[in-house]
Amino acid sequence: MTTGEDTSIEVGVGPWTGEWPAGDHWDPELLEHGDRRNVVDRYRYWSREAVVADLDTRRHGFHVAIENWQHDFNIGTVVRNANAFLAAEVHIVGRRRWNRRGAMVTDRYQHVRHHPAIEDFVAWAAAEDLPVIGIDNLPGSRPMETTTLPRRCVLLFGQEGPGLSDAAREACAELFSIAQYGSTRSINAGVASGIAMHAWIRAHAGPPPE
Ligand SMILES: C[S@@+](CC[C@H](N)C(=O)[O-])C[C@H]1O[C@@H](n2cnc3c(N)ncnc32)[C@H](O)[C@@H]1O
């Protein structure tokens, strides 16, 4: 099998038994050798292209962006969350390379776009008429718990250490924070992305498919 996924733990299904089903979405390799990918059951034996095409028919109205000036290890988690909550697209702002380990191969099913500089990202968002919503606990941020995220938006996250850069903050139509109660200044961007995406889901999404 050439899916590139971690097959050390036997998950999924073995080779298809009986006559192969008809249809373009089936992957002959997976039918023959089994499907050990980390995908929900309804996509078993589907080709990657078919899965992406199906996801594309029902992606949500929010995009996710994260600054990447120091190879932030959280980006993989952001991509995995974006896949789980079905973001329209993920945007990496800054360095092109990012650590894919935390994505657990979900980037293969997600549209990931690179913008070399904040200016490029802002120009793209303006062209799409999408407000940039900064997620960070900065002075002036409004509590996410008592507001509703816009239906169409880009949620922009900062990186470990500095958080949102000055240029990124200036690009934001609004800033939202996640309430914290302990001693740490912040949670990591991967966790923050999951909380923010789920806030969007609670406000705007229907139930997931069966
Ligand atoms: C580790 S934080 C660093 C910055 C943070 N402003 C600080 O003062 O330490 C990295 C990123 O995670 C997200 N984040 C972490 N904690 C957050 C919170 N309580 N509310 C909103 N976003 C948060 C933001 O996107 C932030 O840029």
Side-chain angles (χ1 to χ4, degrees):
M1 187 164 56
T2 55
T3 57
E5 307 213 7
D6 180 3
T7 54
S8 55
I9 303 166
E10 283 273 282
V11 296
V13 288
W16 184 278
T17 49
E19 199 174 319
W20 281 11
D24 290 343
H25 58 292
W26 303 109
D27 184 317
E29 279 239 337
L30 298 173
L31 289 169
E32 185 169 351
H33 300 294
D35 184 355
R36 302 295 178 188
R37 300 172 303 174
N38 176 17
V39 295
V40 295
D41 286 346
R42 72 177 170 283
Y43 290 141
R44 283 285 168 230
Y45 303 109
W46 285 38
S47 70
R48 183 180 69 88
E49 294 75 18
V51 173
V52 172
D54 189 62
L55 294 174
D56 285 349
T57 64
R58 52 189 177 82
R59 288 191 192 276
H60 289 133
F62 71 94
H63 292 239
V64 178
I66 183 160
E67 292 190 280
N68 182 34
W69 309 112
Q70 302 166 350
H71 295 307
D72 197 313
F73 63 84
N74 287 296
I75 295 178
T77 306
V78 173
V79 171
R80 186 178 185 175
N81 289 339
N83 174 281
F85 298 120
L86 207 50
E89 234 178 328
V90 177
H91 303 264
I92 312 287
V93 185
R95 297 185 183 204
R96 182 180 289 278
R97 287 171 62 89
W98 54 280
N99 186 336
R100 283 173 161 69
R101 195 179 163 84
M104 297 293 282
V105 197
T106 53
D107 51 311
R108 300 192 66 188
Y109 306 92
Q110 194 63 41
H111 301 294
V112 181
R113 193 188 292 244
H114 173 244
H115 307 267
I118 277 287
E119 295 72 28
D120 305 304
F121 167 69
V122 169
W124 168 84
E128 295 290 322
D129 200 21
L130 284 169
V132 178
I133 305 296
I135 309 293
D136 209 333
N137 52 352
L138 295 166
S141 294
R142 292 202 288 144
M144 195 183 296
E145 294 73 23
T146 52
T147 46
T148 301
L149 295 171
R151 181 176 284 276
R152 289 188 75 253
C153 63
V154 196
L155 303 174
L156 175 60
F157 300 88
Q159 59 185 355
E160 209 55 45
L164 284 174
S165 65
D166 289 343
R169 293 178 201 190
E170 278 167 32
C172 292
E174 282 192 272
L175 287 166
F176 289 110
S177 62
I178 297 161
Q180 294 183 197
Y181 301 87
S183 63
T184 184
R185 284 178 58 84
S186 61
I187 53 180
N188 72 47
V191 171
S193 75
I195 293 169
M197 288 185 230
H198 200 258
W200 189 98
I201 292 290
R202 289 188 63 148
H204 302 294
E210 290 288 311

